[in-house]
């Protein structure tokens, strides 16, 4: 009954199935490993953020460039505050507000963007406290430059003078007359009645939409593998039933079929 499995057509079907199933399983396992990796990174970043609050601050230069290992670590820098900007559209505890961002001019000749704190409401320069005068030492969590459009960072252009949508060297280079570090810090303790802005986990370590997309793709690939198996068994059953019916004479042979009627 199953001799049809040796036909060229079924050889092709069987080879396809034998290749498709391992491929789907491999892709599903790979996507699952990506999700598990993000979970592990998120756990490690959370634990690091908790421990970083109590660690001794290290000099800024020793922690650059910013990567997954250094993001969120406590650093310190000395310099004089210069240009101040506002970063609108930032939430804290589900309240809308803005960051007060001040450039710290360091002895290296570069300026470090420093988030001195958060204030509620619409961005207004009159609400933002002036930065301290003279040389200061700042201590806070090191952060990588933001990417507009990612993780809630505004990609909006055309902001009023004195405002920026993203805290990044690429966004600030045309707004301030300094060379910039490709990094920024958020102070441990906010200045002058503002609220401190908590550090965020580095890109690729949070349980964000991309992480759950990996989990969704995992399910899709395993469903594809199951669908291939289901369709193979369905075709096999149909072919076996057709072969059995032919053996029992339930399917008329080609020569027994009525001849077509030709008019004219």
């Amino acid at each position: 009954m199953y001799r049809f499995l040796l036909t060229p057509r079924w050889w092709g079907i069987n080879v396809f199935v034998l290749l498709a199933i391992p491929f789907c399983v491999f892709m599903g396992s790979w996507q699952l490993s990506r999700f598990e990796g993000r979970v592990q990174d998120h756990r490690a970043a959370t634990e690091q953020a908790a421990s970083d609050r109590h660690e001794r601050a290290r000099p800024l230069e020793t922690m650059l460039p910013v990567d997954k290992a250094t993001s969120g670590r406590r650093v310190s820098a000395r310099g004089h505050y210069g240009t101040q900007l506002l970063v609108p559209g930032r939430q804290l505890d589900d309240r809308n507000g803005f960051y007060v961002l001040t450039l710290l001019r360091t002895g290296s000749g570069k300026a470090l963007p420093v988030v001195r704190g958060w204030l509620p409401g619409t961005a207004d320069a009159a609400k933002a406290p002036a930065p301290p005068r003279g040389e200061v030492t700042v201590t806070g969590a090191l952060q990588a430059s933001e990417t507009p459009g990612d993780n809630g960072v505004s990609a909006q252009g055309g902001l009023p003078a004195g405002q920026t949508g993203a805290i990044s060297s690429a966004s600030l280079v045309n707004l301030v007359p300094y060379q910039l570090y490709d990094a920024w810090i958020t102070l441990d303790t906010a200045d002058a009645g503002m609220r401190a802005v908590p550090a965020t986990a580095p890109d690729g370590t949070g349980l964000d939409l991309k992480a759950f997309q990996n989990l969704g793709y995992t399910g899709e690939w395993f469903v594809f593998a199951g669908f291939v198996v289901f369709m193979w068994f369905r075709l096999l059953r149909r072919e076996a039933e057709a072969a059995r019916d032919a053996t029992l004479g339930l399917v008329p042979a080609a020569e027994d079929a009525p001849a077509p009627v030709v008019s004219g």
Side-chain angles (χ1 to χ4, degrees), residues 1 11 18 63 75 83 107 129 165 189 227 232-233 235:
M1 182 187 302
W11 270 107
L18 291 175
M63 302 298 284
V75 298
T83 303
T189 303
F227 181 74
W232 185 84
F233 274 108
L235 289 173

Side-chain angles (χ1 to χ4, degrees), residues 43-107:
R43 184 180 297 114
T46 302
E47 293 173 354
Q48 177 174 300
S51 63
D52 288 346
R53 297 189 187 98
H54 308 290
E55 76 169 358
R56 181 176 60 86
R58 301 185 182 185
L60 172 67
E61 297 287 353
T62 66
M63 302 298 284
L64 298 175
V66 186
D67 55 23
K68 289 184 180 181
T70 61
S71 179
R73 304 291 294 271
R74 295 183 73 238
V75 298
S76 63
R78 292 182 63 84
H80 296 78
Y81 278 125
T83 303
Q84 181 159 287
L85 302 168
L86 306 182
V87 188
R90 298 304 177 104
Q91 290 189 334
L92 189 61
D93 295 336
D94 295 326
R95 296 179 63 194
N96 291 322
F98 60 97
Y99 294 168
V100 177
L101 177 71
T102 312
L103 279 297
L104 182 74
R105 301 172 63 184
T106 68

